[in-house]
Amino acid sequence: MQITGTFLDEISHDIPHQNWGENEWRADFRHMKAVGIDTVILIRSGYRKFITYPSTYLLNNHGCYEPPVDLVDLFLRLADEEGMNFYFGLYDSGKYWDTGDMQHEIDANRFVIDEVWQRYGHYKSFKGWYLSMEISRKTKGAAHAFQTLGLQCKQVSNGLPTLISPWIDGKKAVMAASSSLSKEDAVSIREHESEWSEIFDGIRGAVDAVAFQDGHIDYNELDDFFAVNKRMADKYGLKCWTNAESFDRDMPIKFLPIKFEKLRLKLEAARRAGYDKAITFEFSHFMSPQSAYLQAGHLYNRYKEYIAQLPK
Amino acid sequence: MQITGTFLDEISHDIPHQNWGENEWRADFRHMKAVGIDTVILIRSGYRKFITYPSTYLLNNHGCYEPPVDLVDLFLRLADEEGMNFYFGLYDSGKYWDTGDMQHEIDANRFVIDEVWQRYGHYKSFKGWYLSMEISRKTKGAAHAFQTLGLQCKQVSNGLPTLISPWIDGKKAVMAASSSLSKEDAVSIREHESEWSEIFDGIRGAVDAVAFQDGHIDYNELDDFFAVNKRMADKYGLKCWTNAESFDRDMPIKFLPIKFEKLRLKLEAARRAGYDKAITFEFSHFMSPQSAYLQAGHLYNRYKEYIAQLPK
Amino acid sequence: MQITGTFLDEISHDIPHQNWGENEWRADFRHMKAVGIDTVILIRSGYRKFITYPSTYLLNNHGCYEPPVDLVDLFLRLADEEGMNFYFGLYDSGKYWDTGDMQHEIDANRFVIDEVWQRYGHYKSFKGWYLSMEISRKTKGAAHAFQTLGLQCKQVSNGLPTLISPWIDGKKAVMAASSSLSKEDAVSIREHESEWSEIFDGIRGAVDAVAFQDGHIDYNELDDFFAVNKRMADKYGLKCWTNAESFDRDMPIKFLPIKFEKLRLKLEAARRAGYDKAITFEFSHFMSPQSAYLQAGHLYNRYKEYIAQLPK
């Protein structure tokens, strides 16, 4: 199964910044294109006070810092140049992480969505929305928030598709800043299905595709969880994508590029489960020939060899 | 505000070593010069048993290891070549960290200062001393130690200037080896002012410049803390520099180069506060085109673009 | 003292993968050869479900994943090409780590040893076995396991030599995933000698060489521990090698290449103790000019300068 989409991680939450300028970004979009990537998804348009575009609303109302460059505009121009689809990731105020209340995210994004569509909606590559709240089964109010935000995105943009990318509450679902690599109280497949069925039911019509992050469960659990995800997605009318993480969750350095063998295992499990599309978090740090992590360039080469021998 | 000084980190305390030889160091001094750096500051001349120059005193009395190269001599030669100012950082026995008693540092450096001035004082680039004890407000005996050491440095060297670079006990003041990124009991601006006024008063005449590390507080606290620092420095007759950290304290990997936007925020806050000079910790790992961290080279390029458009 | 052997770390336990293909591996064997390395030691042939060669036994009986490439075959071909000696590292089921019972490792490797010798024993570079269980003094059943496995290796292969590489239970013996760098309850030299004498006595005849990892004790303890190790090895008829770790255990990033000065200290202590051979963990990440960690290439250069000036 081929990766045809990638997140763009330029409000850096826990992945160190590469400090690229326009030239490096343009080269990277071309590297993406060369391995069949047709979709780029901005992971979020802002995180707390750091933002990717000079949003009048966020500067005035959230005390955000004036960004040195308009990354949203840059990414849309490059996506236009390369004929790729761009998904806009909503703003993350950080308040949900602090308070557990999704209402902050709904309130802030009400304005962000309008502003962004007005400013950037004319780009031909603007093709969808990414509801950037990363939730898991225990996230209170998630279905309601996704419903509200998804509908608003669609409304302003004549129904452009919306995407979510939640995580499975598996054994590797630990905080990036934690020194441990796994936890004991992982979710069972049965709980996963029951809780996510409820959420999927609640977001019907407002969310078009779900791309579960594939890195929180063990490799031998992939088939079971993927089968359940596909069954649920089909039942509730969602597209089922996989978010094939290209960084390695099993190492003390958090995070460097994944071992190719692991990425392959995950992509093949997604293919067996009949998934609709594979995207990755993310190309520019973990798979790009120009990544600051040189292992990424080698992963790019291994991946190219792999897709060259896939059946057409 | 332009960075015109950098630390040289070659007794590596918590930043992994780059294993450069003379050629790489020479190239790095040139990269520094090219972006306006006129001052290099040896972060410390020794840490516990590892030392930067073959000190007879430290080899005989502290069981230090014979260093493979005389870095102090190398750095002074290169500073001479490039017309830069070199500040010598005192020896850190590690005993203060273990016992909380500064007396060890005073005792050891009494000999180090004499030895170093005798050996290297003739270099035209030898232009100052860095009192390398990194202290915060709670460091017992710090004012007395700085007073003693600063006066001795000045005495042997005909009054060459002395520099300190303490940290603000802010929310990000956590140990490098800790897995957390912030703490709850950060200092208030009022406590900061009261405690540091006392310290500044106690080091008057012995210390010429103070460069607070700028990375332990949040970006929206910069203006408040910087204003207080400048007011205190003015009141007690110290030059007020900023130590603009070029590594990122907000990431799980401790430490990689900082996001340019963050560095810019800190430099501009220092400019607004009317600071006298900006130095960084440190160029060679975090801003150099030849750093092992390739993000550093991109930071160098972003920084060059930034200073090119500053008003002259 | 010159390093003449290196581990090959391609089932990555805690060191992130470089994703090299055959070309990069061939180049790396040449870089090794150029600095006098004549022996390569596969760190382990499998770890839990990830394996280095398509073992019928492990695929069928341990649920292992089909590897994308046969690394054992690749390494043996390259060792043949370069005239190097290859040691095969046994399979690590992970069960010892989970249960404390070595019997799992004995049972699995009974089949692995036969299979591997049958498949790869004809390569002229197949010159020894590495009993890959990394043990320390408290490892229950270690002597018995080494005895059993060592004898079996020798039996199938007409007595090819066997190697172990245990760790000293020193102050830096902390888990890679732990955020701390040292611990309080380090072993004393006396306990070390008494406990290891017992183990050495128990593995006589089944193990030919022991290469203690040199990174768990402080630099000023090297001479004492090395002298004891050599004395014990001599007494019980083992070759005494050192495993000179080329990564730095003293840094918050776990793990990057070591400071050359530290590597030199360790090699010189091994020379003073009269050790028979120095190997390293490991060349390809931490000393190679093509490592993803660029510090490694500089370490390679420093090391080359060092061996160039050693007495012949």
Side-chain angles (χ1 to χ4, degrees):
Chain A
M1 180 151 205
Q2 199 166 344
I3 295 168
T4 57
T6 181
F7 282 99
L8 300 169
D9 183 38
E10 268 322 285
I11 286 297
S12 307
H13 182 249
D14 50 17
I15 311 293
H17 207 284
Q18 303 210 68
N19 290 307
W20 288 353
E22 177 155 344
N23 289 343
E24 288 83 18
W25 279 113
R26 176 168 288 109
D28 224 50
F29 273 58
R30 289 179 184 164
H31 289 309
M32 294 174 192
K33 190 79 185 283
V35 287
I37 288 177
D38 57 30
T39 306
V40 290
I41 304 145
L42 184 63
I43 186 80
R44 58 188 83 79
S45 50
Y47 178 61
R48 299 187 190 259
K49 294 191 187 304
F50 288 97
I51 53 181
T52 51
Y53 73 100
S55 160
T56 312
Y57 167 72
L58 293 170
L59 289 167
N60 291 342
N61 297 278
H62 287 253
C64 292
Y65 309 125
E66 179 85 30
V69 63
D70 184 339
L71 272 177
V72 173
D73 188 71
L74 171 62
F75 290 154
L76 281 161
R77 278 191 287 117
L78 295 175
D80 270 12
E81 280 177 31
E82 300 299 325
M84 291 159 89
N85 300 324
F86 175 87
Y87 278 60
F88 179 87
L90 299 189
Y91 172 68
D92 179 343
S93 76
K95 286 183 192 134
Y96 164 70
W97 299 103
D98 297 338
T99 66
D101 185 351
M102 274 280 188
Q103 191 59 42
H104 300 286
E105 311 314 320
I106 296 176
D107 293 346
N109 279 294
R110 197 174 307 253
F111 297 94
V112 168
I113 293 166
D114 283 346
E115 182 183 62
V116 159
W117 183 250
Q118 205 163 17
R119 260 194 226 186
Y120 307 105
H122 64 281
Y123 278 102
K124 75 171 195 292
S125 56
F126 199 132
K127 285 291 175 54
W129 303 88
Y130 170 57
L131 311 182
S132 65
M133 296 76 214
E134 290 179 35
I135 66 160
S136 184
R137 61 194 177 105
K138 289 173 185 157
T139 309
K140 290 221 190 327
H144 169 68
F146 280 170
Q147 178 78 19
T148 309
L149 291 165
L151 288 179
Q152 197 191 349
C153 290
K154 289 178 157 303
Q155 202 167 16
V156 304
S157 64
N158 308 311
L160 283 185
T162 56
L163 166 71
I164 63 172
S165 185
W167 77 80
I168 296 169
D169 195 20
K171 59 186 280 202
K172 300 185 198 174
V174 294
M175 290 286 108
S178 153
S179 67
S180 67
L181 297 172
S182 66
K183 64 177 188 181
E184 294 298 323
D185 57 332
V187 72
S188 73
I189 186 101
R190 191 183 298 271
E191 289 169 299
H192 175 76
E193 179 158 19
S194 121
E195 292 169 355
W196 276 100
S197 291
E198 198 180 319
I199 297 174
F200 279 15
D201 191 32
I203 61 178
R204 246 199 267 223
V207 174
D208 296 279
V210 58
F212 274 106
Q213 301 170 25
D214 72 356
H216 297 84
I217 53 176
D218 212 341
Y219 301 94
N220 57 12
E221 301 175 309
L222 289 166
D223 281 327
D224 289 345
F225 276 93
F226 281 15
V228 163
N229 290 344
K230 183 65 165 75
R231 193 161 67 226
M232 291 192 291
D234 286 351
K235 177 166 172 196
Y236 295 99
L238 290 160
K239 291 281 179 197
C240 193
W241 298 7
T242 187
N243 177 355
E245 295 180 344
S246 39
F247 61 96
D248 204 315
R249 286 191 181 270
D250 307 328
M251 295 288 146
I253 300 181
K254 295 180 176 176
F255 301 102
L256 294 186
I258 201 169
K259 183 183 189 177
F260 168 65
E261 179 178 0
K262 294 178 177 176
L263 181 60
R264 198 191 63 157
L265 281 174
K266 300 191 295 182
L267 289 173
E268 298 199 338
R271 181 187 49 75
R272 282 192 297 274
Y275 272 36
D276 299 298
K277 185 179 177 82
I279 60 176
T280 186
F281 181 88
E282 40 83 284
F283 183 87
S284 302
H285 283 91
F286 304 119
M287 295 189 71
S288 168
Q290 65 175 6
S291 167
Y293 305 136
L294 300 182
Q295 305 94 335
H298 295 294
L299 179 57
Y300 186 79
N301 292 333
R302 299 294 83 72
Y303 175 73
K304 272 209 307 196
E305 292 161 9
Y306 168 70
I307 57 175
Q309 53 80 51
L310 287 180
K312 299 293 169 186
Chain B
M1 180 152 205
Q2 200 166 343
I3 295 169
T4 57
T6 181
F7 283 99
L8 301 169
D9 184 37
E10 269 322 285
I11 287 296
S12 306
H13 182 248
D14 51 17
I15 311 294
H17 208 283
Q18 303 210 69
N19 290 308
W20 288 353
E22 177 155 345
N23 289 343
E24 287 83 16
W25 278 114
R26 177 167 289 110
D28 224 49
F29 274 57
R30 289 178 184 164
H31 290 309
M32 293 173 194
K33 189 80 184 283
V35 287
I37 288 177
D38 58 30
T39 306
V40 290
I41 304 146
L42 184 64
I43 186 81
R44 57 188 84 80
S45 50
Y47 178 60
R48 299 184 190 261
K49 294 191 189 304
F50 288 97
I51 53 181
T52 50
Y53 74 100
S55 160
T56 312
Y57 166 72
L58 292 169
L59 289 166
N60 290 343
N61 297 278
H62 286 254
C64 291
Y65 310 125
E66 181 86 30
V69 63
D70 184 338
L71 273 178
V72 173
D73 189 72
L74 172 61
F75 290 154
L76 281 160
R77 278 191 287 117
L78 295 175
D80 270 12
E81 279 176 33
E82 300 299 325
M84 292 158 89
N85 300 323
F86 174 88
Y87 279 60
F88 178 88
L90 299 189
Y91 172 68
D92 180 342
S93 76
K95 285 181 194 137
Y96 164 69
W97 299 103
D98 297 340
T99 66
D101 186 349
M102 274 280 186
Q103 191 59 41
H104 301 287
E105 311 313 320
I106 296 175
D107 293 346
N109 278 294
R110 198 173 307 251
F111 297 95
V112 167
I113 292 166
D114 282 347
E115 182 182 63
V116 159
W117 184 251
Q118 205 163 16
R119 259 194 225 186
Y120 306 104
H122 64 282
Y123 279 101
K124 74 171 195 292
S125 56
F126 199 132
K127 285 292 176 53
W129 302 88
Y130 170 57
L131 310 182
S132 64
M133 296 76 215
E134 290 180 35
I135 66 159
S136 185
R137 61 194 178 106
K138 290 174 186 156
T139 309
K140 289 218 191 329
H144 168 69
F146 280 170
Q147 177 79 20
T148 309
L149 292 165
L151 288 179
Q152 197 191 348
C153 290
K154 289 177 158 303
Q155 202 167 17
V156 305
S157 65
N158 308 311
L160 283 184
T162 56
L163 167 70
I164 64 172
S165 186
W167 77 79
I168 296 169
D169 195 20
K171 59 185 280 202
K172 301 185 198 172
V174 295
M175 289 286 107
S178 153
S179 67
S180 67
L181 297 173
S182 66
K183 65 178 187 180
E184 295 297 325
D185 57 334
V187 71
S188 74
I189 186 98
R190 191 184 297 272
E191 289 169 298
H192 175 77
E193 179 159 17
S194 122
E195 292 169 356
W196 277 100
S197 290
E198 198 180 319
I199 297 174
F200 280 14
D201 191 33
I203 61 179
R204 246 200 270 220
V207 174
D208 296 280
V210 57
F212 274 106
Q213 302 170 24
D214 72 355
H216 298 84
I217 52 176
D218 211 341
Y219 301 94
N220 58 12
E221 301 174 309
L222 289 166
D223 281 327
D224 288 345
F225 276 93
F226 281 15
V228 163
N229 291 344
K230 182 64 167 70
R231 194 162 64 227
M232 291 192 291
D234 286 349
K235 178 168 171 192
Y236 295 101
L238 291 160
K239 290 280 179 197
C240 193
W241 298 6
T242 188
N243 176 356
E245 296 180 343
S246 39
F247 61 95
D248 205 316
R249 287 191 179 270
D250 307 329
M251 296 288 145
I253 301 182
K254 293 180 176 176
F255 301 101
L256 294 186
I258 200 168
K259 183 182 189 179
F260 168 65
E261 180 178 0
K262 294 178 177 176
L263 181 60
R264 198 190 63 156
L265 281 174
K266 301 191 295 183
L267 290 173
E268 299 199 337
R271 181 186 50 75
R272 281 193 297 272
Y275 273 34
D276 298 298
K277 187 179 177 80
I279 60 176
T280 186
F281 181 88
E282 41 84 283
F283 183 87
S284 302
H285 284 90
F286 304 118
M287 294 189 72
S288 168
Q290 65 176 5
S291 167
Y293 304 135
L294 300 182
Q295 303 94 335
H298 295 295
L299 180 57
Y300 186 79
N301 293 333
R302 298 295 81 73
Y303 175 72
K304 272 209 305 195
E305 292 162 7
Y306 169 68
I307 57 175
Q309 53 79 52
L310 286 181
K312 297 294 169 188
Chain C
M1 179 152 205
Q2 199 166 344
I3 295 168
T4 57
T6 181
F7 283 98
L8 301 169
D9 183 39
E10 270 322 284
I11 286 296
S12 305
H13 181 248
D14 51 17
I15 311 293
H17 207 284
Q18 303 209 72
N19 289 308
W20 288 352
E22 178 155 343
N23 289 343
E24 287 84 16
W25 278 114
R26 176 167 288 110
D28 224 49
F29 274 57
R30 289 178 185 166
H31 289 308
M32 294 174 193
K33 190 80 184 284
V35 287
I37 288 177
D38 57 31
T39 305
V40 290
I41 304 146
L42 184 63
I43 186 82
R44 58 188 82 79
S45 50
Y47 178 61
R48 300 186 190 260
K49 296 191 187 304
F50 288 97
I51 54 181
T52 51
Y53 73 100
S55 160
T56 312
Y57 166 73
L58 292 169
L59 289 167
N60 290 343
N61 297 278
H62 286 254
C64 291
Y65 310 124
E66 180 86 30
V69 63
D70 184 339
L71 273 178
V72 174
D73 189 71
L74 171 62
F75 290 154
L76 280 161
R77 279 191 287 116
L78 295 176
D80 270 12
E81 279 176 32
E82 300 300 324
M84 291 157 89
N85 300 325
F86 175 88
Y87 279 60
F88 178 87
L90 300 189
Y91 172 67
D92 180 343
S93 77
K95 285 182 192 135
Y96 164 69
W97 298 103
D98 297 339
T99 66
D101 186 350
M102 274 280 188
Q103 191 59 42
H104 300 288
E105 311 314 319
I106 296 176
D107 293 346
N109 279 294
R110 197 174 307 253
F111 297 94
V112 168
I113 292 166
D114 283 347
E115 181 181 64
V116 159
W117 184 251
Q118 205 162 17
R119 258 193 227 188
Y120 307 104
H122 64 280
Y123 278 101
K124 75 171 194 296
S125 56
F126 199 132
K127 285 292 175 51
W129 303 88
Y130 170 58
L131 311 182
S132 65
M133 296 76 215
E134 290 181 35
I135 67 159
S136 186
R137 60 193 177 107
K138 290 173 184 157
T139 310
K140 291 222 191 324
H144 168 69
F146 280 170
Q147 178 77 22
T148 309
L149 291 166
L151 288 179
Q152 197 191 349
C153 290
K154 288 176 158 305
Q155 203 168 14
V156 303
S157 65
N158 309 312
L160 283 184
T162 56
L163 167 71
I164 62 173
S165 186
W167 78 79
I168 297 169
D169 196 19
K171 59 185 279 200
K172 300 185 198 173
V174 294
M175 289 287 107
S178 153
S179 68
S180 67
L181 297 173
S182 66
K183 66 177 186 180
E184 294 299 323
D185 57 332
V187 72
S188 74
I189 186 101
R190 191 183 297 272
E191 290 169 299
H192 175 76
E193 180 159 18
S194 123
E195 292 170 355
W196 276 100
S197 290
E198 198 180 318
I199 297 174
F200 280 14
D201 191 33
I203 61 179
R204 249 200 269 220
V207 174
D208 296 279
V210 58
F212 273 107
Q213 301 170 25
D214 72 356
H216 298 84
I217 52 176
D218 211 341
Y219 300 93
N220 58 12
E221 301 174 311
L222 288 166
D223 281 327
D224 289 345
F225 276 93
F226 281 15
V228 163
N229 290 345
K230 182 65 166 74
R231 193 162 65 227
M232 291 192 292
D234 286 350
K235 179 168 172 192
Y236 295 100
L238 291 161
K239 291 280 180 198
C240 192
W241 298 7
T242 188
N243 176 356
E245 294 179 344
S246 39
F247 61 96
D248 204 316
R249 287 191 180 270
D250 307 329
M251 294 290 145
I253 301 181
K254 293 179 176 177
F255 301 102
L256 294 187
I258 201 169
K259 184 182 188 177
F260 168 65
E261 181 178 359
K262 294 178 178 176
L263 181 61
R264 198 191 64 158
L265 282 173
K266 300 191 296 183
L267 290 173
E268 298 200 336
R271 180 186 50 73
R272 281 192 298 273
Y275 273 35
D276 298 299
K277 186 179 177 82
I279 60 176
T280 186
F281 181 90
E282 41 83 279
F283 183 86
S284 303
H285 284 91
F286 304 118
M287 295 188 72
S288 168
Q290 66 176 5
S291 167
Y293 304 136
L294 300 182
Q295 304 94 334
H298 294 295
L299 179 57
Y300 185 78
N301 292 334
R302 299 294 82 74
Y303 175 73
K304 272 208 307 195
E305 291 162 8
Y306 169 69
I307 58 175
Q309 53 79 51
L310 287 180
K312 298 292 168 187

